[in-house]
Amino acid sequence: SQDIANPFTYTVSHSRAGGQYVSAGYYNSMNHTDTIQAAVAENKLSKAAVANITQWLKEEKYREYHTELQALIERQDWKTLEDSFFQVIPFGTGGRRGTVGVGSNRINKITIGESAQGLCDYAATQGEAVKQQGIVIAYDTRTTSEEFAQYTARICAANGFKTYLFDGFRTTPQLSFAVRHLGTAAGIVISASHNPPSDNGFKAYWSDGGQVVPPHDKGIMDHVATVQSINITDFDQAVDSGNIIVVGKDVDDAYISAIVKQSVTPGRSVHIVYSPLHGTGIRSVIPTLEHAGFTQVSVVKSQTTPDGTFPTVEGQVPNPEVQAANNLAVAQAKNEGADLAITTDPDADRLGVIVRDTKGEYQFLTGNKIATLICHHVLHNLHEQNKLKSNQFVVKTIVTTDAIDALAKQYGVTSYNNILIGFKYVAELIALKQDQGKEEFLFGGEESHGILQGSYTRDKDAAVAALLIAELASNLKDQGETLVDQLYDIYRQHGLYFEDLASKYYHGASGFEQMNAIMESLRNNPPQELAGQRVVRMIDRKTGQEIDPATKKNIGHNDGTPGNVLIFWLSEDGRSRVTIRPSGTEPKIKAYVQLHIPVAAATNEELVQQEKEAAARAQELAALLL
């Protein structure tokens, strides 16, 4: 058995028993048995962690991590060791994401390699043709992304798949586009999206361009869990032989052209400040705006440098949902008197928007407000152009604003609104409805700043969101109005939809247990009221049951996709509610609040006050469940 860094094709053999690896060889590492057993006796290490640590110390294939692991043991850093080894990092329905480092519960060459091998093993069961179709791989600007992407490409090529690898960092939505454009059987992106600099991940896509969903997600998970050998080949040799094909400009040009075609109006007068927050958006948002004809676009130069440490982003949290992440863009917008400041996360699938209102003040827009504005922009203008048809539809997740439902009803299109959180479910619906020739997809949105217009890609795309919000802002600017004015007009017609999100982190092995305990406690003993307001019903998406909290009796059935999500209705129509779920990508529980308030005759000033009151109410409700 050779070192996994060896440039020649090799096979590492091992087997699993009871979910753990069983050693097939013994590496003569330092004997830390007494130290480890003392930690177990003092409840500083779990048995599961010890089993994984022992395996990593013994087996040859972990050799490059032995020095670091031994140092952790010698320092008796039991907390880090427990968090790093208490489990094998789960390969979830979309892939893996977590902290980079040594350990079975970390992102490293072992967990990335098993992910790639398991995907290849499962894809190969779909027939020999899939190997010729191939797999395309992209990566973001994180410090380990290029290394992991090349490592993944070596594994895919060694397994006989034609392998496409981008010549540099690219956005996640471009990876989704490339799957369809190149006609590959699958796609992989190495990215941790908006997570902290310490993290990275492996996300899998299927031939429709969407993240993997049933049955393929479970098929891949099963194969990853039973990987017994990892095949790998030399990178340069694979490129020279054509087994790895480096792609770039041709795919870029096709991608940008596809985005620009989603434009619905010609307005281009807005002045924009843009920051990619050291991520990949510099290769999608700027080319899109330039090709679409926007001439007043300036970038935050200090944040255009690709840098996975995100050094200039406050708190090193490169998430446009977090207002502080947008600080430099807002400061430059104020200095230039720009109409908009927009930002994107590291893999450029989320868009942040800060707009200057008629008073000259800059207002941060939530993901729900961005979705409402863009959905209205698309539906209203297609209606005006006589391009709306009865078989068209929009999609939103269960925690995204119901304003989208109201807009769909106004313009006579279908709204699919019962899907779980995650844009892969939007992509799945496009495949089920549009790709089967039944209906036509128009717009998809989710509260976490994710937007898709058109079906050129099957993931949320900050570039198309930037295009549409910029042309809407231009249209309004030409009329002497702003995005805020448009939003309040929508509220006066359909009611104020106020949404808020609260989160609480639960780190490490104990945090994982706490999150599960909280969800089960709420599931088994649902609150009958929250902040003095009766809970009309609880919808349990795990069981599909709809429960009356007062009697704990089943009063209905929800036929949506099962998931670990609880929804508490605070009104008979469900438009005021609190939804709670564990995050699928970070160690935290999220509580989503929506409040619906009729405001037909309200002035803008009155709406501002209504939003302040709703915000205080939403925070109170969320705090009761976290």
Side-chain angles (χ1 to χ4, degrees):
S1 184
Q2 298 181 25
D3 180 11
I4 60 173
N6 193 297
F8 301 101
T9 301
Y10 80 103
T11 298
V12 175
S13 297
H14 59 272
S15 61
R16 289 193 179 200
Q20 303 294 338
Y21 288 105
V22 177
S23 176
Y26 188 84
Y27 176 69
N28 291 320
S29 61
M30 294 175 63
N31 189 340
H32 297 288
T33 302
D34 292 343
T35 305
I36 291 173
Q37 290 306 317
V40 173
E42 296 172 10
N43 293 318
K44 292 178 178 178
L45 282 180
S46 65
K47 291 182 179 179
V50 171
N52 286 320
I53 290 169
T54 302
Q55 175 195 349
W56 277 59
L57 284 171
K58 285 184 176 181
E59 292 193 23
E60 173 75 9
K61 75 189 186 86
Y62 302 107
R63 186 172 65 180
E64 69 175 280
Y65 297 102
H66 285 167
T67 300
E68 184 178 354
L69 175 53
Q70 290 166 1
L72 286 169
I73 296 171
E74 289 166 10
R75 292 199 305 268
Q76 298 186 23
D77 190 348
W78 306 127
K79 184 178 185 306
T80 298
L81 284 163
E82 178 65 23
D83 290 349
S84 300
F85 286 95
F86 81 92
Q87 65 175 354
V88 175
I89 189 169
F91 191 101
T93 55
R96 279 173 161 153
R97 188 188 298 184
T99 302
V100 175
V102 59
S104 57
N105 191 40
R106 293 289 185 258
I107 296 295
N108 46 56
K109 283 185 177 180
I110 303 299
T111 53
I112 289 287
E114 290 175 347
S115 300
Q117 184 64 52
L119 174 62
C120 289
D121 290 345
Y122 175 74
T125 67
Q126 306 299 299
E128 276 301 311
V130 299
K131 292 190 175 182
Q132 186 56 36
Q133 287 176 264
I135 296 173
V136 58
I137 302 163
Y139 59 94
D140 68 9
T141 61
R142 290 174 182 273
T143 55
T144 54
S145 288
E146 183 175 7
E147 174 192 5
F148 286 152
Q150 287 194 7
Y151 188 65
T152 298
R154 292 166 62 192
I155 293 170
C156 293
N159 280 277
F161 286 83
K162 180 188 290 185
T163 302
Y164 300 91
L165 177 66
F166 276 98
D167 60 9
F169 61 84
R170 292 300 192 281
T171 75
T172 289
Q174 184 167 355
L175 180 278
S176 172
F177 170 84
V179 169
R180 299 174 59 78
H181 180 71
L182 297 171
T184 63
I188 297 165
V189 63
I190 303 297
S191 171
S193 187
H194 58 283
N195 280 34
S198 58
D199 292 2
N200 215 329
F202 178 106
K203 189 187 294 185
Y205 289 74
W206 205 241
S207 57
D208 66 340
Q211 293 178 52
V212 289
V213 294
H216 304 302
D217 55 354
K218 187 177 186 304
I220 295 170
M221 285 189 286
D222 289 346
H223 279 76
V224 169
T226 56
V227 165
Q228 295 189 2
S229 62
I230 298 174
N231 303 312
I232 195 164
T233 190
D234 178 72
F235 182 79
D236 292 334
Q237 289 180 7
V239 172
D240 290 343
S241 65
N243 293 328
I244 294 177
I245 302 166
V246 179
V247 295
K249 186 177 184 304
D250 289 348
V251 180
D252 293 342
D253 291 346
Y255 171 61
I256 299 302
S257 176
I259 300 172
V260 173
K261 287 177 182 176
Q262 306 309 315
S263 171
V264 293
T265 61
R268 298 292 184 267
S269 61
V270 76
H271 178 183
I272 305 165
V273 167
Y274 168 65
S275 172
L277 302 181
H278 297 289
T280 61
I282 199 69
R283 286 188 166 169
S284 64
V285 173
I286 290 298
T288 292
L289 294 175
E290 288 178 347
H291 280 74
F294 288 90
T295 58
Q296 299 182 76
V297 182
S298 63
V299 297
V300 180
K301 291 183 180 179
S302 64
Q303 295 185 326
T304 59
T305 306
D307 189 335
T309 66
F310 316 116
T312 68
V313 181
E314 187 165 330
Q316 294 181 295
V317 180
N319 185 355
E321 295 178 82
V322 179
Q323 293 194 39
N326 305 292
N327 283 351
L328 288 186
V330 173
Q332 184 166 320
K334 289 179 178 179
N335 185 55
E336 297 179 7
D339 304 298
L340 285 180
I342 59 176
T343 63
T344 52
D345 64 340
D347 66 333
D349 58 359
R350 301 177 184 221
L351 183 77
V353 178
I354 301 90
V355 57
R356 187 179 65 174
D357 63 22
T358 52
K359 295 180 180 179
E361 298 176 353
Y362 286 83
Q363 293 196 31
F364 172 82
L365 299 183
T366 66
N368 282 303
K369 290 181 177 179
I370 297 168
T372 298
L373 286 164
I374 294 180
C375 183
H376 180 270
H377 174 62
V378 171
L379 295 181
H380 174 74
N381 285 288
L382 292 182
H383 172 75
E384 292 294 304
Q385 297 162 17
N386 294 314
K387 292 181 180 178
L388 284 185
K389 295 176 285 187
S390 60
N391 71 333
Q392 292 171 323
F393 67 95
V394 300
V395 191
K396 75 176 195 68
T397 68
I398 56 175
V399 296
T400 304
T401 178
D402 286 359
I404 290 174
D405 294 326
L407 291 168
K409 183 177 180 181
Q410 177 186 353
Y411 288 102
V413 299
T414 300
S415 176
Y416 290 104
N417 58 15
N418 200 33
I419 66 171
L420 288 177
I421 299 93
F423 220 85
K424 64 182 179 180
Y425 296 111
V426 177
E428 180 183 32
L429 202 59
I430 298 172
L432 290 172
K433 301 293 183 181
Q434 178 170 291
D435 293 354
Q436 301 299 321
K438 300 173 184 177
E439 301 175 45
E440 180 184 348
F441 170 76
L442 286 177
F443 168 87
E446 63 180 3
E447 57 77 35
S448 56
H449 292 239
I451 299 293
L452 177 60
Q453 151 76 355
S455 55
Y456 64 96
T457 184
R458 298 300 169 87
D459 213 336
K460 54 185 180 282
D461 192 349
V464 77
L467 168 65
L468 294 169
I469 204 74
E471 65 183 28
L472 170 57
S474 296
N475 296 343
L476 293 165
K477 180 180 180 179
D478 295 343
Q479 300 167 22
E481 296 183 341
T482 72
L483 296 174
V484 176
D485 298 312
Q486 177 73 87
L487 191 66
Y488 286 168
D489 285 343
I490 295 170
Y491 289 161
R492 276 185 281 268
Q493 186 169 1
H494 298 290
L496 169 62
Y497 287 90
F498 182 86
E499 302 86 15
D500 200 7
L501 170 63
S503 303
K504 187 172 181 180
Y505 280 86
Y506 297 87
H507 291 286
S510 61
F512 182 77
E513 293 174 359
Q514 281 182 279
M515 287 195 294
N516 285 336
I518 289 169
M519 292 300 293
E520 287 308 304
S521 177
L522 288 170
R523 179 170 282 116
N524 297 326
N525 299 286
Q528 296 183 35
E529 66 172 43
L530 291 171
Q533 193 165 352
R534 184 171 74 92
V535 177
V536 176
R537 70 177 58 197
M538 179 188 76
I539 300 173
D540 186 348
R541 288 297 292 262
K542 191 174 184 179
T543 64
Q545 292 183 324
E546 298 190 5
I547 304 295
D548 179 353
T551 64
K552 294 188 179 179
K553 290 183 178 179
N554 187 10
I555 56 174
H557 180 76
N558 188 286
D559 60 0
T561 305
N564 191 13
V565 180
L566 297 171
I567 307 167
F568 301 94
W569 280 18
L570 302 176
S571 62
E572 292 292 343
D573 59 11
R575 287 190 290 182
S576 289
R577 61 178 180 266
V578 184
T579 303
I580 186 166
R581 74 172 183 107
S583 170
T585 58
E586 298 175 89
K588 64 183 179 182
I589 288 183
K590 294 182 174 184
Y592 307 79
V593 181
Q594 177 178 280
L595 300 174
H596 181 250
I597 306 162
V599 290
T603 64
N604 283 12
E605 290 73 19
E606 289 170 336
L607 282 167
V608 170
Q609 183 58 35
Q610 289 271 23
E611 286 192 297
K612 288 180 179 178
E613 293 173 4
R617 178 72 171 167
Q619 290 172 10
E620 180 184 15
L621 288 166
L624 292 170
L625 292 176
L626 290 177

